[in-house]
Amino acid sequence: MKVLLPLLAVIILVLLAYLGIETANLHLLFGVIIPYLAIFIFIVGVLWRIVRWAQSPVPFRIPTTCGQQKSLPWIKSACFENPATGIGAIGRMVLEILLFRSLFRNTQTQLKQGPYFLHLEEKLLWLAALIFHWSFFIVVIRHCRLFIEPVPSCISLICRLDGFMEIGSPVVFLSGVGLLAGISFLLLRRILSPKVYYISLPIADYFPLLLIIAIAISGILMRYFVKVDVVSLKAYTLGLLRFQPVIPADVNVIFYIHLFLVCILLIYFPFSKLVHMGGIFLSPTRNLANNNRMKRHINPWNYPVKVHTYEEYEEHYRERMKQVGIPVEKD
């Protein structure tokens, strides 16, 4: 039942865009005002999150580790699992961001007859997450050709590599298939796995998954089944960037549905758990080297403290200490 509320919300969003274009003829609202508003909220929201992360005090160096710390020369240390230098921390971040190294070590527990409590590796989640995130990234890169004129050669190369398995016309992009397959697995896992379903929340967990699925389906429909004039769309996107928007004429309503859902995702992004995409770069448990035994770290938030040394203490209470028989260093 948790999935019904977010599913209904996505259906309402689709109907809003459809009815707004087909019956109310709100092309200016859905084609200009909402995209500008979404981009503004996205930029301000992300900057707000970055400022909040930067203002959070980090008084202690507490990187999360899972390997041997660097100690004696004859003991082999884990340079990426437990980095002792800045280069090691950078390598750890690169592996985490590009290959989801921590998720690769994910395990699941099962209670078998006997009873036996087993810890098993769960590589399928890692693979689906990797396919989804990389596919999403390539899809975003491919869409940049609509906003740049002339199109850079690197984006054209990515498009050719993405569609190298040419099946019919238009070319089938593997990133589109991978995006839909990966996000569908993540949604089905949340629905079918009792343990994951129990800890999932309707809005925080199901709504972004269903919203991205709706965006992927509308994009696939627009590319393979409902023909859309790409030239007029590019003129429209370039006009948005130049603050001289020209609403394309005779564009199928599926384009406005796709655009409206993307705008909702941009508005929702800074205030949801999706913002982990940027938060991982500012995570002190990940981006710091574990060199607490090698170097003393001073808390930058420490305020100046007036120190009362023992010499000053004895100087102040010497006579009283003598009267009660407490030994002193100076007579």
Side-chain angles (χ1 to χ4, degrees):
M1 296 299 292
K2 291 181 180 179
V3 74
L4 292 182
L5 179 61
L7 179 61
L8 181 62
V10 173
I11 293 174
I12 291 175
L13 291 174
V14 173
L15 291 177
L16 277 177
Y18 178 80
L19 297 176
I21 296 298
E22 289 293 306
T23 61
N25 198 23
L26 299 174
H27 292 78
L28 179 63
L29 175 64
F30 286 92
V32 178
I33 297 176
I34 291 179
Y36 277 136
L37 183 64
I39 294 173
F40 175 78
I41 294 176
F42 174 78
I43 294 175
V44 174
V46 171
L47 292 177
W48 171 69
R49 294 300 294 259
I50 292 175
V51 171
R52 283 195 59 190
W53 288 327
Q55 290 178 339
S56 299
V58 186
F60 305 107
R61 182 173 287 252
I62 48 174
T64 54
T65 60
C66 60
Q68 174 62 46
Q69 185 178 10
K70 184 177 182 181
S71 56
L72 300 174
W74 61 85
I75 299 178
K76 185 179 180 181
S77 62
C79 60
F80 293 126
E81 307 291 1
N82 200 337
T85 62
I87 296 177
I90 293 174
R92 182 192 193 195
M93 288 290 293
V94 170
L95 292 174
E96 180 66 29
I97 293 169
L98 299 181
L99 301 176
F100 302 171
R101 189 177 175 84
S102 60
L103 190 59
F104 183 77
R105 294 189 297 268
N106 187 40
T107 58
Q108 60 175 332
T109 55
Q110 291 183 0
L111 184 62
K112 297 288 185 181
Q113 288 185 350
Y116 297 104
F117 201 64
L118 301 179
H119 296 275
L120 305 173
E121 292 185 344
E122 191 177 15
K123 303 302 182 193
L124 199 56
L125 174 62
W126 167 79
L127 182 62
L130 198 66
I131 291 174
F132 163 65
H133 285 84
W134 272 106
S135 299
F136 206 154
F137 176 72
I138 294 174
V139 168
V140 172
I141 294 297
R142 278 199 292 104
H143 278 67
C144 289
R145 72 185 192 278
L146 297 174
F147 297 88
I148 302 174
E149 183 60 33
V151 179
S153 57
C154 57
I155 296 180
S156 301
L157 178 61
I158 291 175
C159 292
R160 287 196 295 271
L161 292 176
D162 193 16
F164 80 98
M165 292 183 64
E166 187 170 352
I167 303 173
S169 179
V171 175
V172 175
F173 286 128
L174 294 180
S175 58
V177 179
L179 172 62
L180 190 57
I183 195 71
S184 298
F185 173 84
L186 297 179
L187 176 63
L188 291 176
R189 175 176 172 271
R190 285 198 174 275
I191 296 175
L192 300 179
S193 174
K195 289 176 287 188
V196 180
Y197 180 81
Y198 180 76
I199 62 175
S200 298
L201 298 174
I203 299 300
D205 293 315
Y206 289 107
F207 178 70
L209 294 177
L210 291 169
L211 184 61
I212 295 174
I213 288 176
I215 292 173
I217 292 176
S218 59
I220 290 174
L221 289 175
M222 200 161 46
R223 174 168 179 80
Y224 302 109
F225 300 98
V226 180
K227 299 300 180 184
V228 178
D229 186 1
V230 179
V231 177
S232 62
L233 287 187
K234 184 159 186 174
Y236 161 73
T237 55
L238 292 176
L240 282 178
L241 289 180
R242 296 165 182 164
F243 297 101
Q244 297 174 347
V246 178
I247 298 176
D250 300 330
V251 176
N252 193 282
V253 68
I254 194 68
F255 164 72
Y256 289 97
I257 294 175
H258 182 75
L259 179 62
F260 181 62
L261 295 178
V262 172
C263 291
I264 296 298
L265 182 63
L266 290 177
I267 294 172
Y268 179 74
F269 183 89
F271 312 102
S272 68
K273 62 168 56 177
L274 298 177
V275 80
H276 71 273
M277 183 183 71
I280 190 172
F281 293 97
L282 297 176
S283 175
T285 60
R286 290 287 175 184
N287 59 18
L288 293 177
N290 186 24
N291 56 358
N292 292 316
R293 291 184 176 179
M294 302 165 59
K295 180 181 177 182
R296 183 187 179 192
H297 300 284
I298 304 297
N299 183 359
W301 286 276
N302 279 346
Y303 55 87
V305 178
K306 180 177 176 55
V307 179
H308 193 201
T309 64
Y310 177 76
E311 288 78 9
E312 295 172 341
Y313 174 84
E314 185 178 306
E315 187 69 26
H316 188 77
Y317 296 104
R318 181 174 294 112
E319 296 303 324
R320 298 181 186 178
M321 293 171 69
K322 287 180 180 178
Q323 291 176 3
V324 297
I326 299 177
V328 294
E329 294 184 354
K330 295 180 180 179
D331 291 330

